[in-house]
Amino acid sequence: MRKSFKWMLPLLPLLGGCANFGFYWQSVNGQMEIWKKEQSIQTLLADQSVTPELKRKLQSVLDIREFASRELKLPDNGSYRLYADLQRPYVLWNVFATPEFSIRPKEWCFVIAGCVSYRGYFSESEAERFAENQRSQGYDVFVAGVPAYSTLGWFDDPVLSTFIHHPETEVARLIFHELAHQVVYVKDDSMFNESFAVAVEQEGVSRWLAENGTSEQRAAFVAAQQRKKDFVRLVLKYRSRLDELYRSAVSDPQKRESKRQIFSELRQEYAQLKAAWGGFSGYDPWFVQDMNNAHLASVAAYTQLVPAFNRLLAGQDGNLARFYREVKEIAKLPKAERLVRLKES
């Protein structure tokens, strides 16, 4: 697909008014910056100036990419056959915001993506500036760095320096996740989209390791999946407690104090969980910022429907092509019916 946003420029003022013009403009500039830095992986593999370590990583990406289309029935296109060195730790920074006494995240609506529970910036400083604006309005805010994202099949997404040096299973996970968004994406339903992509990534990595991984990699993946389940279970437990508090009839000062206590207990229970993991500290960065409702929203958006998608896949005997067809049919339903259908699976 021709890489130009020129066709979008006349529409920018109409996409959400003057207040959103700056946001769309930074999105256009951020995407164009990536395109300028893209290079063919095949070209880089033949380039003698490229380090052996990077070549090894890039060849692994091509192997993962071929596996994604051949074995996982994910789109076979130009995505993840290019590489861009961004020279920064993340490609995007997502801003999550919730009211002080609500676990429901604020949503922002866009022309192509629909309404989503976060707002992404290609610049960390711009993300922090917007986050501060939300805080000044009384919202709980959480800013999270993002190593990869999808243009939903509108353009060919490249492999990025923000994740190329991650362990092989993590690179595979990210590629499978982002390609899944090209299979099914429903406007205005972040939970559906992200939970579907997480279910695909988990199944994909499991199959990748079964065919290509070592016994050590497989054991590490199983352990990582269990830690993730433990973490999500912990977060959803406290999210439920906060929801109950916010729905109660107690005064705002009482809610504020109880909220502080609940987050304190969350930290304490995480410390116990971390000890049970043998000191694994991979989730520590999530706890670095002051804990608030927006932290919880960032997890719930990606995980709540994963078990339902896993059941749906099992009901198709693990046949991914049939699974995708079924998900596409469910995606056509109104949001409320969609959720009921998934929970019945």
Side-chain angles (χ1 to χ4, degrees), residues 154-165:
W154 285 78
F155 306 102
D156 294 334
D157 299 315
V159 179
L160 301 172
S161 56
T162 52
F163 67 86
I164 187 68
H165 296 291

Side-chain angles (χ1 to χ4, degrees), residues 191 194-195 198 228 232 236 298-308:
M191 191 180 301
E194 297 301 340
S195 294
V198 169
K228 184 178 293 186
V232 170
L236 295 184
S298 72
V299 174
Y302 280 74
T303 59
Q304 276 195 300
L305 296 178
V306 173

Side-chain angles (χ1 to χ4, degrees), residues 46-65:
D47 188 340
Q48 293 186 355
S49 68
V50 176
T51 66
E53 175 62 15
L54 180 56
K55 284 186 177 182
R56 185 182 67 80
K57 291 282 189 178
L58 292 172
Q59 183 59 59
S60 175
V61 164
L62 291 185
D63 295 340
I64 290 168
R65 183 65 186 82

